Amino acid sequence: MEQIKTSFDFEKPIAELIQQIEKVKQVADKTKVDMSATLIELEDKLSKTQNALYANLTGWQEVQLSRHPERPQTLDYIGMICDDFIELHGDRTVKDDKAIIGGFATINGETVMVIGHQKGKNTKERQYRNFGMANPEGYRKALRLMRLAEKFNKPVISFIDTMGAYPGIEAEERGQGEAIARNLLEMSVLKVPIICLIIGEGASGGALGIGIGDKVYMLEHTWYSVISPESCSSILWRSWDFKEKAAECLKLTSKDMLKNKLIDGVINEPLGGAHQNPVLMAETLKVQILKDMKALKKEKPEKMISNRIDKFCSMGVVVE
């Protein structure tokens, strides 16, 4: 039986059952007593507990899972999904923003342009990547790469995982809002297929800056919202103490987003989250990407652009 790694308080019932199973196994090895019936009972209880727990997570619990330190990031998926990857750097104006990476890659022999946020796995990496929070030059680099993909008629694959665009004064001075708005406009009319995948956190304009696509998917345990629960709580209640309530009110989970027709689908994760089996998660994403690329390539660019614009324009429309 493959053990599920646990990290959060709500996973304690699972951790306790795994601990009980390990103790029974140790007793069985030490005493040579047949404990198979007890093990079967405990493993059955563990399986039921896992399925029930992960199928009924609250909004805040989903946010916690999306931030798991071992959760696969953009570079992990590129390494597992793509046959090769040539990273391209810089926005040709200011500098190379390390929070957003991108370049040409091949998937089963098909050339694509891959763009995504990269948070980093440890403190040093996170500082280097600015915790996945892009500056304006990051979004301008992404746009440069998307135009390059359009020039060579190659699909764009976008991996979204950010706490938001960098909110520093210098970022605003260099035109953070304009850079994101420009990406929204340009992605709306890009003449090649765009597939967007929310693989972790999808916060505000930072996520939307590379999130306009023909197909927009969320992994099962991710979130997508105009604001993070902590920031929402601090604005409404002047304290982070209400972040759990804010997470519920924001309706930011993949189920909520699909119900509200703001995404095209939810991609199921391995039991317990993508970090439990990154290889399986990558394979699932690869199948979905190849399926959508095949379908979108059959559409004429004009029709594809029209459908893309209509999809986003219909969001939030209320008919009384």
Side-chain angles (χ1 to χ4, degrees), residues 80-83 105-112 114 155-157 159 193-197 215 217 267 281-298:
M80 292 184 284
I81 293 172
C82 303
D83 307 317
T106 56
I107 304 176
N108 277 19
E110 294 271 352
T111 302
V112 298
V114 180
V156 174
I157 312 297
F159 292 96
I194 308 173
I195 300 169
C196 302
L197 303 160
K215 295 291 183 182
Y217 295 105
I267 299 174
M281 188 71 257
E283 187 59 35
T284 305
L285 287 176
K286 184 176 181 179
V287 170
Q288 188 66 55
I289 289 168
L290 290 171
K291 178 184 174 183
D292 286 324
M293 282 202 304
K294 184 178 179 181
L296 289 168
K297 278 185 176 181
K298 294 177 182 178

Side-chain angles (χ1 to χ4, degrees), residues 187-198:
M187 290 183 81
S188 298
V189 295
L190 207 70
K191 294 177 182 177
V192 293
I194 308 173
I195 300 169
C196 302
L197 303 160
I198 299 161

Side-chain angles (χ1 to χ4, degrees), residues 6-240:
T6 60
S7 298
F8 305 110
D9 289 342
F10 66 86
E11 294 177 305
K12 278 183 179 178
I14 293 172
E16 288 170 0
L17 283 169
I18 291 173
Q19 195 174 23
Q20 286 180 39
I21 290 169
E22 285 303 311
K23 284 182 179 178
V24 170
K25 284 180 178 179
Q26 289 171 10
V27 170
D29 289 339
K30 192 173 182 180
T31 63
K32 305 302 179 184
V33 175
D34 183 11
M35 307 285 283
S36 56
T38 305
L39 280 172
I40 290 170
E41 184 182 342
L42 284 171
E43 286 173 0
D44 181 57
K45 187 176 180 181
L46 174 62
S47 178
K48 288 178 179 176
T49 303
Q50 288 169 346
N51 285 303
L53 180 68
Y54 292 115
N56 298 285
L57 294 175
T58 65
W60 177 244
Q61 287 167 349
E62 295 281 21
V63 171
Q64 288 179 288
L65 268 187
S66 75
R67 295 171 176 171
H68 195 284
E70 293 179 27
R71 192 174 180 86
Q73 299 180 14
T74 298
L75 281 174
D76 298 315
Y77 286 121
I78 289 173
M80 292 184 284
I81 293 172
C82 303
D83 307 317
D84 53 28
F85 175 59
I86 302 171
E87 187 174 356
L88 302 174
H89 300 272
D91 69 336
R92 299 296 185 264
T93 305
V94 180
K95 66 176 183 179
D96 181 38
D97 191 336
K98 305 298 183 183
I100 287 186
I101 59 170
F104 282 113
T106 56
I107 304 176
N108 277 19
E110 294 271 352
T111 302
V112 298
M113 177 64 77
V114 180
I115 299 167
H117 299 99
Q118 181 69 19
K119 288 180 175 178
K121 294 293 185 73
N122 53 47
T123 303
K124 189 175 180 180
E125 276 186 31
R126 289 185 186 118
Q127 289 176 333
Y128 179 70
R129 298 286 181 185
N130 200 33
F131 297 85
M133 295 187 291
N135 280 279
E137 47 271 20
Y139 294 104
R140 291 178 179 131
K141 173 172 73 171
L143 180 57
R144 180 177 76 84
L145 299 186
M146 286 186 266
R147 284 174 174 162
L148 195 60
E150 184 180 51
K151 179 179 179 180
F152 293 106
N153 194 31
K154 302 301 178 186
V156 174
I157 312 297
S158 165
F159 292 96
I160 298 165
D161 184 14
T162 182
M163 295 181 285
Y166 183 60
I169 293 174
E170 61 273 25
E172 298 297 342
E173 288 174 342
R174 292 196 300 274
Q176 184 74 283
E178 187 277 336
I180 293 172
R182 175 65 59 182
N183 278 24
L184 303 187
L185 172 63
E186 298 286 351
M187 290 183 81
S188 298
V189 295
L190 207 70
K191 294 177 182 177
V192 293
I194 308 173
I195 300 169
C196 302
L197 303 160
I198 299 161
I199 58 172
E201 299 186 86
S204 193
L208 205 57
I210 58 170
I212 303 295
D214 303 290
K215 295 291 183 182
V216 180
Y217 295 105
M218 289 177 70
L219 269 61
E220 184 181 2
H221 301 303
T222 61
W223 64 275
Y224 198 20
S225 175
V226 70
I227 193 170
S228 70
E230 293 94 334
S231 297
C232 178
S233 175
S234 66
I235 291 171
L236 295 182
W237 291 283
R238 303 284 187 255
S239 167
W240 277 23

Side-chain angles (χ1 to χ4, degrees), residues 292-309:
D292 286 324
M293 282 202 304
K294 184 178 179 181
L296 289 168
K297 278 185 176 181
K298 294 177 182 178
E299 291 188 11
K300 292 183 178 179
E302 296 78 14
K303 179 64 175 174
M304 186 171 62
I305 291 169
S306 177
N307 290 341
R308 192 187 301 156
I309 292 172

